[in-house]
mmCIF file of all heavy atoms in Angstrom:
data_model
loop_
_atom_site.group_PDB
_atom_site.id
_atom_site.type_symbol
_atom_site.label_atom_id
_atom_site.label_comp_id
_atom_site.label_asym_id
_atom_site.label_seq_id
_atom_site.Cartn_x
_atom_site.Cartn_y
_atom_site.Cartn_z
ATOM 1 N N ARG S 31 39.058 117.057 -16.652
ATOM 2 C CA ARG S 31 38.556 118.442 -16.630
ATOM 3 C C ARG S 31 37.165 118.495 -17.259
ATOM 4 O O ARG S 31 36.269 119.174 -16.735
ATOM 5 C CB ARG S 31 39.522 119.378 -17.387
ATOM 6 C CG ARG S 31 40.741 119.672 -16.565
ATOM 7 C CD ARG S 31 41.633 120.633 -17.256
ATOM 8 N NE ARG S 31 41.031 121.947 -17.153
ATOM 9 C CZ ARG S 31 41.532 123.041 -17.724
ATOM 10 N NH1 ARG S 31 42.608 122.953 -18.439
ATOM 11 N NH2 ARG S 31 40.938 124.199 -17.573
ATOM 12 N N ASP S 32 36.982 117.750 -18.362
ATOM 13 C CA ASP S 32 35.660 117.740 -19.015
ATOM 14 C C ASP S 32 34.604 117.161 -18.072
ATOM 15 O O ASP S 32 33.512 117.651 -17.939
ATOM 16 C CB ASP S 32 35.682 116.999 -20.327
ATOM 17 C CG ASP S 32 36.478 117.682 -21.426
ATOM 18 O OD1 ASP S 32 36.726 118.904 -21.240
ATOM 19 O OD2 ASP S 32 36.866 117.033 -22.399
ATOM 20 N N HIS S 33 34.981 116.087 -17.452
ATOM 21 C CA HIS S 33 34.071 115.370 -16.554
ATOM 22 C C HIS S 33 33.777 116.164 -15.287
ATOM 23 O O HIS S 33 32.623 116.274 -14.833
ATOM 24 C CB HIS S 33 34.623 114.013 -16.182
ATOM 25 C CG HIS S 33 33.783 113.256 -15.182
ATOM 26 N ND1 HIS S 33 32.595 112.674 -15.510
ATOM 27 C CD2 HIS S 33 33.948 113.046 -13.833
ATOM 28 C CE1 HIS S 33 32.075 112.127 -14.437
ATOM 29 N NE2 HIS S 33 32.891 112.343 -13.401
ATOM 30 N N LEU S 34 34.805 116.769 -14.706
ATOM 31 C CA LEU S 34 34.645 117.480 -13.439
ATOM 32 C C LEU S 34 34.240 118.942 -13.638
ATOM 33 O O LEU S 34 33.969 119.642 -12.657
ATOM 34 C CB LEU S 34 35.978 117.390 -12.635
ATOM 35 C CG LEU S 34 36.350 115.998 -12.153
ATOM 36 C CD1 LEU S 34 37.738 116.001 -11.567
ATOM 37 C CD2 LEU S 34 35.326 115.463 -11.185
ATOM 38 N N GLY S 35 34.208 119.400 -14.871
ATOM 39 C CA GLY S 35 33.689 120.722 -15.155
ATOM 40 C C GLY S 35 34.660 121.824 -14.991
ATOM 41 O O GLY S 35 34.389 122.742 -14.221
ATOM 42 N N GLY S 36 35.764 121.752 -15.639
ATOM 43 C CA GLY S 36 36.531 122.974 -15.719
ATOM 44 C C GLY S 36 37.932 122.909 -15.238
ATOM 45 O O GLY S 36 38.720 122.107 -15.696
ATOM 46 N N SER S 37 38.202 123.795 -14.314
ATOM 47 C CA SER S 37 39.581 124.129 -14.010
ATOM 48 C C SER S 37 40.188 123.249 -12.966
ATOM 49 O O SER S 37 39.920 122.053 -12.932
ATOM 50 C CB SER S 37 39.632 125.584 -13.538
ATOM 51 O OG SER S 37 38.813 125.728 -12.389
ATOM 52 N N ALA S 38 41.055 123.828 -12.142
ATOM 53 C CA ALA S 38 41.804 123.158 -11.085
ATOM 54 C C ALA S 38 42.680 122.071 -11.648
ATOM 55 O O ALA S 38 42.694 120.945 -11.165
ATOM 56 C CB ALA S 38 40.873 122.619 -10.008
ATOM 57 N N GLN S 39 43.431 122.444 -12.692
ATOM 58 C CA GLN S 39 44.302 121.505 -13.363
ATOM 59 C C GLN S 39 45.326 120.911 -12.389
ATOM 60 O O GLN S 39 45.642 119.718 -12.480
ATOM 61 C CB GLN S 39 45.000 122.160 -14.541
ATOM 62 C CG GLN S 39 45.872 121.185 -15.302
ATOM 63 C CD GLN S 39 46.415 121.796 -16.607
ATOM 64 O OE1 GLN S 39 45.912 122.812 -17.087
ATOM 65 N NE2 GLN S 39 47.437 121.173 -17.113
ATOM 66 N N GLU S 40 45.847 121.695 -11.459
ATOM 67 C CA GLU S 40 46.832 121.211 -10.501
ATOM 68 C C GLU S 40 46.219 120.090 -9.628
ATOM 69 O O GLU S 40 46.870 119.076 -9.392
ATOM 70 C CB GLU S 40 47.298 122.358 -9.606
ATOM 71 C CG GLU S 40 48.130 123.369 -10.367
ATOM 72 C CD GLU S 40 48.443 124.572 -9.502
ATOM 73 O OE1 GLU S 40 48.207 124.506 -8.268
ATOM 74 O OE2 GLU S 40 48.939 125.561 -10.069
ATOM 75 N N THR S 41 44.996 120.277 -9.166
ATOM 76 C CA THR S 41 44.331 119.245 -8.353
ATOM 77 C C THR S 41 44.134 118.012 -9.175
ATOM 78 O O THR S 41 44.311 116.876 -8.678
ATOM 79 C CB THR S 41 43.007 119.810 -7.777
ATOM 80 O OG1 THR S 41 43.244 121.019 -7.112
ATOM 81 C CG2 THR S 41 42.375 118.798 -6.826
ATOM 82 N N ILE S 42 43.714 118.197 -10.412
ATOM 83 C CA ILE S 42 43.477 117.025 -11.295
ATOM 84 C C ILE S 42 44.788 116.329 -11.546
ATOM 85 O O ILE S 42 44.888 115.087 -11.474
ATOM 86 C CB ILE S 42 42.811 117.452 -12.624
ATOM 87 C CG1 ILE S 42 41.375 117.916 -12.327
ATOM 88 C CG2 ILE S 42 42.836 116.314 -13.625
ATOM 89 C CD1 ILE S 42 40.689 118.525 -13.532
ATOM 90 N N THR S 43 45.852 117.091 -11.844
ATOM 91 C CA THR S 43 47.165 116.477 -12.110
ATOM 92 C C THR S 43 47.659 115.699 -10.878
ATOM 93 O O THR S 43 48.124 114.577 -10.965
ATOM 94 C CB THR S 43 48.204 117.569 -12.518
ATOM 95 O OG1 THR S 43 47.687 118.264 -13.632
ATOM 96 C CG2 THR S 43 49.548 116.971 -12.847
ATOM 97 N N GLU S 44 47.510 116.355 -9.695
ATOM 98 C CA GLU S 44 47.901 115.687 -8.418
ATOM 99 C C GLU S 44 47.086 114.432 -8.223
ATOM 100 O O GLU S 44 47.613 113.386 -7.827
ATOM 101 C CB GLU S 44 47.753 116.671 -7.271
ATOM 102 C CG GLU S 44 48.085 116.080 -5.921
ATOM 103 C CD GLU S 44 49.519 115.659 -5.749
ATOM 104 O OE1 GLU S 44 50.432 116.095 -6.518
ATOM 105 O OE2 GLU S 44 49.812 114.834 -4.847
ATOM 106 N N GLY S 45 45.770 114.502 -8.466
ATOM 107 C CA GLY S 45 44.888 113.333 -8.278
ATOM 108 C C GLY S 45 45.273 112.194 -9.199
ATOM 109 O O GLY S 45 45.311 111.023 -8.799
ATOM 110 N N LEU S 46 45.574 112.531 -10.513
ATOM 111 C CA LEU S 46 46.007 111.503 -11.437
ATOM 112 C C LEU S 46 47.337 110.867 -11.002
ATOM 113 O O LEU S 46 47.512 109.645 -11.105
ATOM 114 C CB LEU S 46 46.140 112.086 -12.859
ATOM 115 C CG LEU S 46 44.786 112.372 -13.563
ATOM 116 C CD1 LEU S 46 45.037 113.114 -14.867
ATOM 117 C CD2 LEU S 46 43.995 111.078 -13.778
ATOM 118 N N ARG S 47 48.269 111.691 -10.511
ATOM 119 C CA ARG S 47 49.555 111.185 -9.994
ATOM 120 C C ARG S 47 49.310 110.236 -8.829
ATOM 121 O O ARG S 47 49.873 109.131 -8.760
ATOM 122 C CB ARG S 47 50.484 112.340 -9.627
ATOM 123 C CG ARG S 47 51.877 111.891 -9.304
ATOM 124 C CD ARG S 47 52.748 113.067 -8.840
ATOM 125 N NE ARG S 47 52.308 113.682 -7.605
ATOM 126 C CZ ARG S 47 52.358 113.151 -6.380
ATOM 127 N NH1 ARG S 47 52.933 111.949 -6.248
ATOM 128 N NH2 ARG S 47 51.949 113.755 -5.332
ATOM 129 N N VAL S 48 48.475 110.646 -7.883
ATOM 130 C CA VAL S 48 48.203 109.803 -6.687
ATOM 131 C C VAL S 48 47.501 108.508 -7.121
ATOM 132 O O VAL S 48 47.829 107.428 -6.641
ATOM 133 C CB VAL S 48 47.329 110.590 -5.663
ATOM 134 C CG1 VAL S 48 46.779 109.667 -4.600
ATOM 135 C CG2 VAL S 48 48.133 111.712 -5.026
#
Side-chain angles (χ1 to χ4, degrees):
R31 284 183 75 184
D32 289 344
H33 176 73
L34 295 171
S37 59
Q39 183 172 342
E40 291 173 11
T41 306
I42 291 172
T43 304
E44 177 65 19
L46 286 173
R47 189 183 62 72
V48 169

